[in-house]
Amino acid sequence: MTPARKTQNFSAVTAVVWALALAIMALVAGWQRRWISDDGLIVLRTVRNLQAGNGPVFNAGERVETNTSMLWQYAIYLFAQLTGGELETVALWLGLILTGLAVGLGTLATGLMYRSRGSIFLPFGMLIYLAIPPARDFATSGLEWGLSIFWLAVLWFFLVSWVRENSRLARHGMARNRMIYWLALWSGLSWLVRPELVLYGAVTGLIILIAARSWAQRALILAIAIPLPLAYQIFRMGYYGAIVPQTAVAKSASDSLWGRGWDYVGDFVNPYGMWSAFGVLALVAAVLLLLPTFRGSSSSFSDANSPRTSRLQGQVTIVAILVVCALIHFAYVIRVGGDFMHGRMLLIPLFAILLPLAVVPVWDLQAGAESQNAGQSNLVLKLVQPLAVGSGCVFAVVWGINAVNHPVTFSGEGVKSSADLHVVDERSFWMQVTKTSPEEPPLYASDYEAMDLMYGYKDAQEECTEQRRGDPASTEARECSGLLIPIRKDSANAGTDWIPIGGVGLNSPGTPLELGAKEGAQDLQFHPMTVNFLNLGVTGMLAPLDVRVVDPMGLANPLAARMPQIKDGRPGHDKSLPQEWQYADSAVYVPFLPPFIDGEEVEEIRPILYTEDFVELFQTYRAPMSTERFWENIKYSLTTSRTLKFSDDIDDYEGVQPVPEAQIVWPQQRYTD
């Protein structure tokens, strides 16, 4: 075995060792901060409906895509079906394992990128990522962040393998060119993981199309990459009547809020002193770019005599893909105003930009040997690289220890309402609200029952479920067919009582069907009981599937999502459907409403909901699915859905007439759990 081969093998061993060590570190760190968020519970309600045969919906009878990641909800569904485990447990372990795999595979890929030079590695970028509390928080949480960074890590691994494949082709004349097709397939899946990941997938797809060696190969790349995301996009438009998930509509993801976005960045980087970390990252990256350690491994592709496609298939290109896409991703998050969860939306681009520096070559064995053989004393190669890169790694360790020991925590002091919570450390917030602790964090929907606003909720649901599933035509059952609303017990906010308010049968614009026994009542189709509540996850998971659970901000409520955006509102929570509109869009019998609700305004709003624009929207997700409905939804998603907005001022609808004989219907499936 040649000396060069020995150094390369030793380099590979160090890369594998650090990949395993960092993956284990990610698993341990994620487990230490395990929990499930209210938003994670939203995903699980959809999985429950999938298990019950109601389709990928949050409420049976309403086709609304409340989850941003299609693949995440189906991954939980698949593993829950295979294991029979509780959904919260499946989501926790799936997110944690994917995070560990992402860290390990991403680190290994970076080591392989440098392996041809025979380098000794030290961990750098991945230490910085794992030190940040939000990175460890969202390793679990029930959300798709583990899946998202896993997708990025696999993309990076395929890109590195693609470059190494070209290196072998250049040296040995090997004709294999398989990685380009794996890249095509994986790039196409980006849209199904999270919509913004399509940026990384599209740029990668464009590069491999340019680098392809023939038009036949380009055609095959497109044939591999496009069908899956295109098929799901057609399904989304036809089934849901929208071109993006409902979350994007509710959060106005196309708006520009640069000032609020910069505040979000500051909330993320300032507590940990991350600007200094970014500066050291830039210095280490500059050293690696200038030294032969980096340039040498791709020098064969920069030869002016090499084919253009071969020169493109190099190390500089794949690093540029991640860095450029990550910077654009950062800019997009800032533009849309950030998020309400501390650090969450910045984790994916941060992980992407750190991947090429996950581990770094602190010493180049092969280059050192070459210098000795040549009788040269290469001071730069022997001293600058170890000193600069090694110092950066030491900084990462010291900085990381500081970040780990100084996490952001939530304090409820001075907080009077959710409007005061613009950006919050979500894990700490929910531990306070649910009266749990870091040692015993909230892991199940049942842990959220300790919330003040959840007192009595489950008992009221169980009582009403028993009534509805007994005699549906009974007076007691009808009392549970309108609304379930929370009433605060006293001014000291010592919990709530949840009370049911009776409902009606199928409404017509001005003459709601009266309550009470009448001939044929048992054959009537009744609206489901409705719960309107901001915390959609806990209310949805603690409710049976024949209860309609919606929110005033629009994640599961397309009507709320089309309402005006609140100026300077909480990021991601700046839509609010007024209370009277919430109650009008339900089966509640107005005379039974409590005196603090303006029943007259509810009555005025109901006919408005039967006017053309509202009826057209309701039909896209409430009308029974058929071939005709599917194609009408596709047309609607490409036209009206893209710009539709409503006003919450009833005076703006003066003179607008209801659509004759229009009805707003929720088909019922009573035994769905």
Side-chain angles (χ1 to χ4, degrees):
M1 185 180 293
T2 64
R5 186 65 177 173
K6 288 181 179 179
T7 58
Q8 290 176 17
N9 289 342
F10 182 76
S11 175
V13 170
T14 61
V16 171
V17 167
W18 283 121
L20 289 173
L22 289 167
I24 293 171
M25 187 182 300
L27 292 171
V28 172
W31 175 256
Q32 288 177 337
R33 296 180 71 88
R34 65 194 180 279
W35 70 302
I36 192 164
S37 66
D38 180 72
D39 283 53
L41 295 175
I42 295 175
V43 179
L44 302 188
R45 166 91 173 187
T46 301
V47 177
R48 284 174 61 201
N49 271 300
L50 282 168
Q51 291 177 326
N54 296 327
V57 299
F58 192 80
N59 292 306
E62 292 191 328
R63 297 181 301 275
V64 180
E65 189 178 19
T66 58
N67 303 316
T68 304
S69 174
M70 183 278 283
L71 281 180
W72 178 238
Q73 68 187 24
Y74 280 105
I76 296 174
Y77 169 75
L78 175 63
F79 281 93
Q81 294 296 99
L82 291 174
T83 64
E86 291 185 82
L87 295 182
E88 294 95 329
T89 303
V90 171
L92 184 152
W93 280 106
L94 190 57
L96 185 60
I97 290 170
L98 286 171
T99 298
L101 289 173
V103 169
L105 187 62
T107 301
L108 180 62
T110 303
L112 289 174
M113 181 177 69
Y114 293 106
R115 185 190 169 197
S116 62
R117 296 295 302 177
S119 302
I120 297 176
F121 298 107
L122 286 178
F124 180 52
M126 204 58 75
L127 283 181
I128 292 175
Y129 181 79
L130 292 176
I132 303 168
R136 290 173 280 131
D137 290 351
F138 291 102
T140 54
S141 85
L143 294 170
E144 67 275 7
W145 259 248
L147 175 64
S148 298
I149 65 171
F150 174 75
W151 181 87
L152 274 173
V154 174
L155 179 72
W156 177 235
F157 182 83
F158 285 163
L159 284 168
V160 170
S161 300
W162 180 57
V163 170
R164 289 174 59 79
E165 186 179 69
N166 194 38
S167 177
R168 290 192 297 269
L169 181 65
R171 289 196 302 267
H172 308 298
M174 298 170 66
R176 290 185 303 170
N177 191 20
R178 299 173 183 172
M179 290 312 305
I180 199 167
Y181 302 119
W182 284 107
L183 277 170
L185 177 64
W186 201 251
S187 297
L189 293 179
S190 60
W191 180 247
L192 308 181
V193 178
R194 277 189 68 86
E196 61 265 42
L197 288 178
V198 74
L199 168 66
Y200 302 83
V203 171
T204 300
L206 179 62
I207 293 297
I208 62 176
L209 280 173
I210 296 172
R213 287 168 168 76
S214 67
W215 285 105
Q217 189 176 54
R218 292 186 179 98
L220 185 54
I221 289 170
L222 293 175
I224 292 172
I226 290 177
L228 278 175
L230 178 61
Y232 184 73
Q233 186 59 23
I234 293 172
F235 169 79
R236 170 181 280 152
M237 294 189 296
Y239 189 74
Y240 297 112
I243 60 173
V244 292
Q246 182 65 21
T247 51
V249 180
K251 297 180 180 183
S252 299
S254 61
D255 291 348
S256 296
L257 299 165
W258 291 98
R260 196 169 76 180
W262 277 113
D263 290 341
Y264 183 68
V265 172
D267 179 84
F268 179 50
V269 303
N270 292 336
Y272 318 112
M274 286 185 66
W275 293 118
S276 60
F278 291 153
V280 173
L281 280 167
L283 288 174
V284 171
V287 169
L288 294 178
L289 284 169
L290 292 173
L291 291 174
T293 304
F294 183 88
R295 291 182 286 107
S297 62
S298 57
S299 60
S300 62
F301 312 135
S302 59
D303 186 349
N305 296 321
S306 300
R308 173 178 57 82
T309 55
S310 293
R311 296 201 304 272
L312 185 63
Q313 195 173 339
Q315 185 170 307
V316 174
T317 299
I318 63 173
V319 172
I321 289 174
L322 284 193
V323 172
V324 171
C325 288
L327 292 175
I328 296 173
H329 193 169
F330 276 123
Y332 170 75
V333 173
I334 296 170
R335 176 183 176 272
V336 299
D339 186 38
F340 67 97
M341 294 190 194
H342 169 70
R344 176 178 67 153
M345 296 303 293
L346 297 171
L347 290 176
I348 295 174
L350 179 64
F351 184 82
I353 212 166
L354 290 175
L355 272 175
L357 297 172
V359 288
V360 287
V362 72
W363 186 262
D364 191 340
L365 297 172
Q366 186 174 335
E370 289 170 356
S371 297
Q372 287 182 347
N373 293 337
Q376 299 174 351
S377 177
N378 192 331
L379 183 63
V380 172
L381 198 61
K382 288 184 176 180
L383 296 179
V384 173
Q385 180 182 353
L387 286 175
V389 178
S391 297
C393 294
V394 171
F395 169 86
V397 172
V398 175
W399 179 90
I401 292 172
N402 178 71
V404 168
N405 291 331
H406 294 81
V408 172
T409 56
F410 169 76
S411 172
E413 185 177 352
V415 175
K416 297 180 180 179
S417 69
S418 61
D420 298 326
L421 303 176
H422 278 258
V423 181
V424 71
D425 173 10
E426 196 79 346
R427 182 173 180 269
S428 296
F429 168 78
W430 282 115
M431 282 193 299
Q432 280 201 25
V433 170
T434 59
K435 304 175 178 62
T436 54
S437 66
E439 294 73 28
E440 296 182 358
L443 298 177
Y444 300 92
S446 57
D447 294 330
Y448 281 74
E449 292 180 47
M451 290 173 56
D452 288 342
L453 288 173
M454 285 291 104
Y455 287 158
Y457 178 76
K458 191 173 182 181
D459 291 340
Q461 287 284 9
E462 290 175 352
E463 183 177 346
C464 276
T465 297
E466 183 179 351
Q467 298 294 343
R468 290 196 313 274
R469 295 180 181 178
D471 180 5
S474 69
T475 302
E476 291 79 6
R478 291 170 183 246
E479 288 176 354
C480 291
S481 64
L483 287 169
L484 186 66
I485 65 172
I487 306 293
R488 292 187 184 275
K489 288 183 176 179
D490 53 47
S491 59
N493 191 27
T496 56
D497 282 325
W498 285 80
I499 61 171
I501 302 176
V504 297
L506 294 178
N507 292 340
S508 59
T511 57
L513 187 64
E514 296 290 334
L515 277 173
K518 59 188 305 181
E519 184 177 356
Q522 67 273 16
D523 298 324
L524 292 173
Q525 180 181 26
F526 291 95
H527 293 294
M529 181 171 70
T530 295
V531 175
N532 276 284
F533 202 67
L534 178 63
N535 301 124
L536 197 61
V538 58
T539 48
M541 278 299 285
L542 295 179
L545 294 182
D546 56 358
V547 172
R548 175 177 175 256
V549 181
V550 288
D551 61 317
M553 64 167 284
L555 293 179
N557 189 344
L559 175 60
R562 304 289 182 172
M563 285 293 160
Q565 198 166 5
I566 301 170
K567 185 178 180 181
D568 299 324
R570 188 184 186 197
H573 288 73
D574 51 5
K575 302 283 181 66
S576 182
L577 185 67
Q579 194 167 238
E580 285 71 23
W581 285 78
Q582 296 173 26
Y583 297 166
D585 184 32
S586 75
V588 70
Y589 186 50
V590 174
F592 287 176
L593 285 170
F596 57 83
I597 304 297
D598 189 342
E600 291 185 4
E601 186 170 342
V602 174
E603 291 281 22
E604 291 179 27
I605 292 170
R606 273 191 168 157
I608 295 174
L609 297 181
Y610 286 87
T611 57
E612 185 175 1
D613 287 344
F614 289 92
V615 169
E616 191 176 13
L617 172 66
F618 291 142
Q619 286 176 338
T620 61
Y621 67 96
R622 289 178 181 166
M625 179 50 61
S626 63
T627 302
E628 182 181 3
R629 179 74 265 158
F630 189 89
W631 291 113
E632 287 296 321
N633 278 5
I634 289 178
K635 289 190 291 184
Y636 185 84
S637 68
L638 294 171
T639 54
T640 307
S641 177
R642 297 173 61 245
T643 57
L644 180 65
K645 293 184 179 179
F646 294 125
S647 169
D648 56 6
D649 186 349
I650 60 177
D651 292 336
D652 291 338
Y653 300 97
E654 186 175 356
V656 180
Q657 296 299 314
V659 176
E661 299 181 357
Q663 290 185 338
I664 302 171
V665 182
W666 295 274
Q668 283 298 280
Q669 297 185 39
R670 294 188 181 279
Y671 302 99
T672 50
D673 277 313

